[in-house]
Structures are given as structure tokens and as C-alpha cells.
Amino acid sequence: MAARVPALSALRAFESAARHLNFGRAGDELFVTHSAISKQVRLLEEDLGVALFERRNRAVFLTDAGRRLLVTMSEVLRQISDCCEEIRVGGSAPLVVSCEPTFTQRWLIPRLPRFNARHPDVEVHVLAAGGPVSFDRSHIDLALRRSDFSWSPELFVETVVEERVGPVCAPRLLASGSDGILSLPRIHSATRRDAWSRYIADNLLADPNPPGNQVFEHFYLSIEAAIAGLGAAIGPEPLVADAVESGQLVAPRGYSGNGYSYILLSRLPFEGDARKRNFLSWLRRQFGP
């Protein structure tokens, strides 16, 4: 015989009340009255034979049993929501991708037509954002990020490509050989202030300590400053590849790994969504040999 489960309406009322620690707000969320929530919680407590809330001075607090049930209910409801979302999208809903702003501007957007041509049935919506991501609050499917932060072990993560960096500058500034770029004024990004020092150390180079340093708030601006001829910047290969190919920049020393990668994060497994698998495969092909 299957185990008896309390009424789902009572469990849902409890979960909302426990999350808000307020019966009134739970009622507003579920479109019922405060007294209806209170009644459902009382019936659940009678069914389980334990108190789930401690009532003190017109406020409510979870008991140990209540905290235990809230953890389980939150996980169950999340799994139900995820399952329903997978069923609902059916491969036809837009694929919402959060991507680092500079990567979005300088690499992803120029190449999206290639993805659209290859997968015309997948509509991609791009949001520009960087750093840690909350899938619950931002309502996104995937996050394309640089692996320079910590993420939840519950997320599914796939490496897209290793990051390779090198100094770049406008061609007219490079009168001498490749080492001459190290003596140019240096351009820094406020988001990666240690890029030059890391590059010098990682490649065991003697630092000529060139005159002049300029700092720009965003990495995108530091690349634009290099194109404008203000000095040399450390450029990740994907973000400067088009400018190098068009002749706006040169990278005389090439590129080398710096220990970071570009990664794709998802709250749900990639295996369960053909849109995600196709997007990941396409990204990797863009960086392939």
C-alpha cells in the first residue's frame, strides 16, 4: 500500500507560510485568506502530530520539524517546476542566454547569425551580465561566463574553450619587433587590473616598466582604447580576434593560456534539452581547429 501523503493544498499552504514566515503574505501569494492558510497549516499539524510553527507575539517561527519539512517541500516544488518547464518548452521556447557584456558585444553577437542559420528552430535571447548567476531570479536557461568565480555545485557546467591572452595594440604603434609592444603605454581594465602583471609573470618576461598607464572601467573600453592607439592592452583571443583579422589590432606575441576558461552553466542537465546541447556544440565548433 502506498504511503499516505497529506493533502497537497495543506502542504502548499505550509510551504508558502514557512518561506514568508507570515500567513498573510502566504495568503496573498496563493490568493486565499489569512484564515484559510492558518486552517490548512493546523490540519497539516494535526495530520503529522507535530507543531510546524511556534507562535509568539503574533509572529510565527519554524520548529525543527517545520524547518525539515520546508527543505523537502522546497526541493520537491523546484523539481516539479523544472520538470514542467522542460515539458512546457518542448524545444520551441526561446533559449535565454546570459553572457558577459564584452564577450556578447565582440564575439557572440557577430556570430549569432551562424547559429541561426544552422538551427533556425531555436530562438536565442541574449542578456548581457557577468559574474555569479542566479537562475531562479534571472529566468535564464544558460550562462556563458569566464571561470573566475565560484558557482554552486548543484549547477551543470561545461567548458567551452580555454582562455588564451596576449598583448595587442594598433599596428602603427609597433615600429620594432614583438618585444616592442611590452614597452608601450599600458591600458588596463578596472575589472581585470592584474591582467598585465599576470601575463608578465606567467610568461616569465622581463618587465620594461613602460611609461604611462590608463585604466578603463570596462574591458570592452580597454579594447577600444587599444584600437584607438592609446597603448597596448592584454586581450583575450576571442575578444580581439575580429579586430586582429581586420587589421585594427596586431598581436605580435600571440596568445598563451592563463588558467581560466569560458564555461557554460545550466541549472538543469544539458542532456534533457536539445536547444542547450545544440548551443554548446555550436560554441565549441566556433573555437575548434
Side-chain angles (χ1 to χ4, degrees):
M1 180 181 298
R4 186 173 64 84
V5 177
L8 294 180
S9 58
L11 289 169
R12 186 68 183 92
F14 160 77
E15 187 276 337
S16 181
R19 182 162 30 86
H20 291 293
L21 286 178
N22 186 289
F23 285 16
R25 286 199 291 270
D28 292 340
E29 181 177 79
L30 299 180
F31 302 102
V32 297
T33 64
H34 174 285
S35 60
I37 295 292
S38 180
K39 179 180 179 181
Q40 291 284 1
V41 169
R42 185 172 65 254
L43 291 173
L44 180 60
E45 290 178 321
E46 292 174 357
D47 190 351
L48 298 177
V50 296
L52 299 173
F53 290 95
E54 181 182 350
R55 289 121 173 122
R56 288 182 292 172
N57 299 325
R58 303 186 67 179
V60 293
F61 303 88
L62 287 170
T63 63
D64 288 343
R67 283 190 289 271
R68 181 180 175 186
L69 183 57
L70 175 60
V71 170
T72 299
M73 282 297 304
S74 299
E75 177 63 20
V76 168
L77 290 174
R78 186 187 68 80
Q79 290 182 11
I80 292 174
S81 175
D82 291 345
C83 180
C84 290
E85 184 64 19
E86 287 182 345
I87 294 171
R88 183 181 296 118
V89 300
S92 61
L95 181 68
V96 183
V97 181
S98 169
C99 182
E100 302 226 358
T102 303
F103 199 99
T104 299
Q105 293 173 302
R106 302 204 64 89
W107 192 92
L108 182 59
I109 289 178
R111 288 164 176 77
L112 267 183
R114 303 178 192 175
F115 179 83
N116 295 337
R118 190 176 185 92
H119 300 283
D121 57 324
V122 181
E123 180 181 348
V124 178
H125 291 185
V126 179
L127 305 178
V133 58
S134 171
F135 284 89
D136 292 325
R137 290 197 296 268
S138 53
H139 304 292
I140 62 174
D141 298 301
L142 296 171
L144 184 58
R145 293 289 192 269
R146 184 174 182 257
S147 62
D148 57 355
F149 66 97
S150 298
W151 52 85
S152 169
E154 296 180 354
L155 297 180
F156 296 86
V157 183
E158 293 284 350
T159 298
V160 175
V161 67
E162 174 193 14
E163 183 177 64
R164 289 160 44 83
V165 302
V168 295
C169 69
R172 64 182 180 275
L173 297 184
L174 201 63
S176 58
S178 62
D179 286 341
I181 197 170
L182 300 180
S183 299
L184 293 175
R186 289 180 181 168
I187 298 169
H188 304 269
S189 167
T191 56
R192 298 195 202 178
R193 288 298 299 265
D194 65 342
W196 267 106
S197 60
R198 283 182 60 94
Y199 177 80
I200 294 293
D202 290 347
N203 290 275
L204 305 177
L205 300 174
D207 191 347
N209 295 313
N213 290 278
Q214 294 191 64
V215 180
F216 292 85
E217 184 177 1
H218 298 295
F219 205 77
Y220 177 82
L221 297 177
S222 70
I223 297 174
E224 290 298 314
I227 292 174
L230 297 182
I234 294 296
E237 186 176 10
L239 307 187
V240 298
D242 291 347
V244 171
E245 184 176 353
S246 67
Q248 293 178 296
L249 292 173
V250 291
R253 297 186 59 86
Y255 309 95
S256 58
N258 63 359
Y260 293 108
S261 299
Y262 291 101
I263 57 176
L264 199 60
L265 302 100
S266 173
R267 188 178 69 174
L268 301 176
F270 287 81
E271 293 76 11
D273 192 327
R275 302 168 308 154
K276 295 179 181 180
R277 295 196 307 273
N278 289 336
F279 191 74
L280 173 61
S281 297
W282 174 78
L283 284 175
R284 286 173 169 168
R285 281 195 298 271
Q286 301 308 300
F287 295 106

